[in-house]
Amino acid sequence: MTTGERVPTAVDSAPRDGAVGSGQRLSLGVAARLSRYLQVLTQAKKMGKETISSRELSDYTHVNPTQIRRDFSGFGKFGKRGVGYNVDALVSQIRKILRTSGQHNIALFGAGHLGQAIASSDIFADHGFRVVAIFDTDKRKIGQKVGATTVRHSSELRSMVEFEDIVVGVLAVPTVAAQSIADDLVEAGVKIIFNYSEALLQVPPEVTVHTSSPAVDLLYALYFYLT
Amino acid sequence: MTTGERVPTAVDSAPRDGAVGSGQRLSLGVAARLSRYLQVLTQAKKMGKETISSRELSDYTHVNPTQIRRDFSGFGKFGKRGVGYNVDALVSQIRKILRTSGQHNIALFGAGHLGQAIASSDIFADHGFRVVAIFDTDKRKIGQKVGATTVRHSSELRSMVEFEDIVVGVLAVPTVAAQSIADDLVEAGVKIIFNYSEALLQVPPEVTVHTSSPAVDLLYALYFYLT
DNA sequence: TAGATTGTTAATCGATTAACAATC
DNA sequence: TAGATTGTTAATCGATTAACAATC
């Protein structure tokens, strides 16, 4: 069964159209969907699933099965007709496409309930994200352990970013504190900020802010429930 | 200044094309974006902003300003040329369009770190969602207060759903416990499930599951950072 | 073989955007 | 008035989907 075993390349087969290629950036939509598939596949693997069909992936992601096959086919022939896709092989293919095979380090701000929930969750770890530093301004929390990590004072941010090669800052702090931490992160050279507060953050154009918004998703789901 | 003050109607001006109308369902994209605008506007209002331009909304939502104006123009002329949109008026317009002006009740499962973070956050409350019941299976947690709400045993789920008219169930529980709670929610007639665990939930087609996936969003952001 | 599911085409549909007159 | 920003058009681009031959 060589197909499933061989080392895959991003440009395996001749790509057909726009969304594909080696140096070619993925479109926003494709990148979003691939990330989504990856999450489901990771969980399916945990549940001992070895093979998965585009139909099953569709059930979990709400993406049309044809589109799923189309998304993959741009990068190679990953599936087996009549059988489906090998979960393990597909995971490493997508990781390769998204260039997220490696480890990426995160700094977490806020050691309250949300911060502790994030630090102790598998969700980030499963995708190669590691919380290597936790910061809080509350002196009583500094020095305490959250999981395997010690809570530090924000003044250590700069050196930690350099020392640990931190690429993402996650804000699990009150809304009023968020902007000032964002400023510090920007100054320390962090380019991706994940904002769990409600603050509307002001950052330079080269920095990406992603604001988590469960309520937005809920409003959206509710609309389709009510209509 | 009557324009900003008059009571708005969903079918104010003659709608031009597809995505619009009274009984007409919004397309997925439009509904998602409107929810997004609503979140930003709510926060802008808190910060004392009275007027906002499509350009500013674009900065915070990463949606093209032309598209924002287009999204609104399908439902009426909400803005003032040279000035922008009145924040208050726009909020109530969008609420009307999304039909989420009222209160909606939520049941929360899991009184751990994540559950407590959710229960004490403004994020849901700001959009009319109220956590009216918290459930946990841990006997030591039952009877404790989280915010203003008392933690109950899951056996009370059924009666609470009826009594409190609960439309959304939020799962802040370990992955292994999620499916069985989802089954209970389905049986109790809840049609929207918000899943913070990693479980791939199996539910009947009339039930909507939204799985929260911060790691997916992070993978996605990282891709564009790395390329 | 028979059944299942992929890979791919071709056609459609909706999202996106630049541009600009209207107007506050 | 001058500057700013909306509302709207028209053109383009990418996403979506049904359908089906290929093949495991």
Side-chain angles (χ1 to χ4, degrees):
Chain A
M1 213 197 273
T2 34
T3 317
E5 301 285 330
R6 87 195 189 309
V7 178
T9 320
V11 270
D12 246 350
S13 66
R16 279 171 304 100
D17 62 355
V20 195
S22 43
Q24 202 68 298
R25 253 199 183 198
L26 303 177
S27 80
L28 294 173
V30 175
R33 290 197 300 278
L34 288 175
S35 306
R36 197 91 174 287
Y37 305 149
L38 196 51
Q39 185 207 19
V40 170
L41 290 166
T42 304
Q43 190 58 23
K45 188 175 167 179
K46 276 195 186 174
M47 288 163 56
K49 222 163 158 40
E50 290 185 359
T51 263
I52 198 164
S53 70
S54 57
R55 175 68 209 286
E56 288 174 289
L57 266 175
S58 171
D59 288 342
Y60 291 122
T61 58
H62 305 132
V63 176
N64 180 288
T66 302
Q67 172 140 45
I68 294 175
R69 298 201 296 278
R70 207 174 198 294
D71 282 339
F72 295 151
S73 81
F75 304 97
K77 306 192 181 198
F78 302 157
K80 196 164 286 193
R81 289 165 202 244
V83 180
Y85 298 89
N86 178 288
V87 174
D88 270 340
L90 197 50
V91 164
S92 52
Q93 289 284 8
I94 297 178
R95 286 223 177 107
K96 190 146 285 191
I97 296 165
L98 290 175
R99 309 186 195 186
T100 48
S101 312
Q103 277 287 335
H104 301 282
N105 293 342
I106 294 180
L108 175 65
F109 293 82
H113 282 308
L114 183 56
Q116 291 189 49
I118 293 169
S120 55
S121 154
D122 278 351
I123 284 186
F124 288 121
D126 278 346
H127 293 279
F129 295 103
R130 207 156 40 113
V131 175
V132 293
I134 303 180
F135 299 100
D136 204 299
T137 46
D138 185 341
K139 290 217 169 68
R140 288 165 299 176
K141 283 181 182 153
I142 292 165
Q144 284 183 12
K145 286 266 179 187
V146 173
T149 317
T150 306
V151 178
R152 295 162 196 274
H153 189 269
S154 309
S155 58
E156 294 186 59
L157 168 61
R158 195 117 188 211
S159 57
M160 287 297 283
V161 166
E162 262 181 56
F163 188 67
E164 294 277 13
D165 190 24
I166 289 167
V167 294
V168 179
V170 175
L171 307 189
V173 299
T175 300
V176 290
Q179 182 65 57
S180 125
I181 296 173
D183 293 343
D184 292 346
L185 279 166
V186 167
E187 212 192 320
V190 174
K191 293 286 186 290
I192 303 176
I193 296 177
F194 211 81
N195 177 25
Y196 277 104
S197 85
E198 291 186 85
L200 301 176
L201 300 177
Q202 310 272 4
V203 297
E206 75 272 15
V207 176
T208 305
V209 174
H210 182 98
T211 299
S212 166
S213 35
V216 172
D217 296 326
L218 214 45
L219 280 174
Y220 174 72
L222 195 64
Y223 172 76
F224 290 98
Y225 168 67
L226 294 174
T227 51
Chain B
M1 214 197 271
T2 33
T3 317
E5 301 284 331
R6 86 196 190 310
V7 178
T9 320
V11 270
D12 246 348
S13 67
R16 279 171 304 101
D17 62 354
V20 196
S22 44
Q24 201 70 297
R25 251 197 186 202
L26 304 177
S27 80
L28 294 173
V30 175
R33 290 197 299 277
L34 288 175
S35 307
R36 197 89 175 287
Y37 305 149
L38 197 51
Q39 185 207 19
V40 171
L41 290 166
T42 304
Q43 189 59 22
K45 188 175 166 179
K46 276 194 187 175
M47 289 162 56
K49 221 163 158 41
E50 290 186 359
T51 264
I52 198 165
S53 70
S54 57
R55 175 69 210 286
E56 289 173 289
L57 267 175
S58 170
D59 287 342
Y60 292 123
T61 59
H62 305 130
V63 176
N64 180 290
T66 303
Q67 172 139 44
I68 294 175
R69 297 200 297 278
R70 209 176 196 294
D71 282 338
F72 296 151
S73 82
F75 304 96
K77 308 193 180 197
F78 301 157
K80 194 163 287 193
R81 290 166 202 242
V83 180
Y85 300 88
N86 177 287
V87 174
D88 270 340
L90 198 50
V91 163
S92 52
Q93 288 285 7
I94 297 178
R95 286 223 175 106
K96 190 147 281 189
I97 296 166
L98 290 174
R99 310 187 195 187
T100 47
S101 311
Q103 277 287 335
H104 301 283
N105 292 342
I106 293 182
L108 175 64
F109 292 82
H113 283 307
L114 183 56
Q116 291 190 49
I118 292 169
S120 55
S121 155
D122 278 350
I123 284 188
F124 288 121
D126 278 345
H127 293 280
F129 296 103
R130 206 156 41 113
V131 175
V132 292
I134 303 180
F135 298 100
D136 204 300
T137 47
D138 185 340
K139 291 217 169 67
R140 288 165 299 177
K141 282 179 182 153
I142 291 166
Q144 285 182 12
K145 286 264 179 189
V146 173
T149 317
T150 307
V151 179
R152 295 162 195 273
H153 189 267
S154 308
S155 58
E156 294 186 60
L157 168 61
R158 195 116 187 210
S159 57
M160 286 298 282
V161 166
E162 265 182 52
F163 188 67
E164 294 277 13
D165 189 24
I166 289 167
V167 295
V168 179
V170 174
L171 307 189
V173 299
T175 301
V176 290
Q179 182 65 56
S180 125
I181 295 173
D183 294 344
D184 292 345
L185 279 167
V186 168
E187 212 191 321
V190 174
K191 293 287 186 288
I192 302 175
I193 296 177
F194 212 80
N195 177 25
Y196 277 104
S197 84
E198 290 186 87
L200 301 175
L201 299 178
Q202 309 272 5
V203 296
E206 75 273 14
V207 176
T208 304
V209 174
H210 181 98
T211 299
S212 166
S213 33
V216 171
D217 297 326
L218 214 45
L219 279 175
Y220 174 72
L222 196 62
Y223 172 77
F224 290 98
Y225 168 65
L226 294 173
T227 52

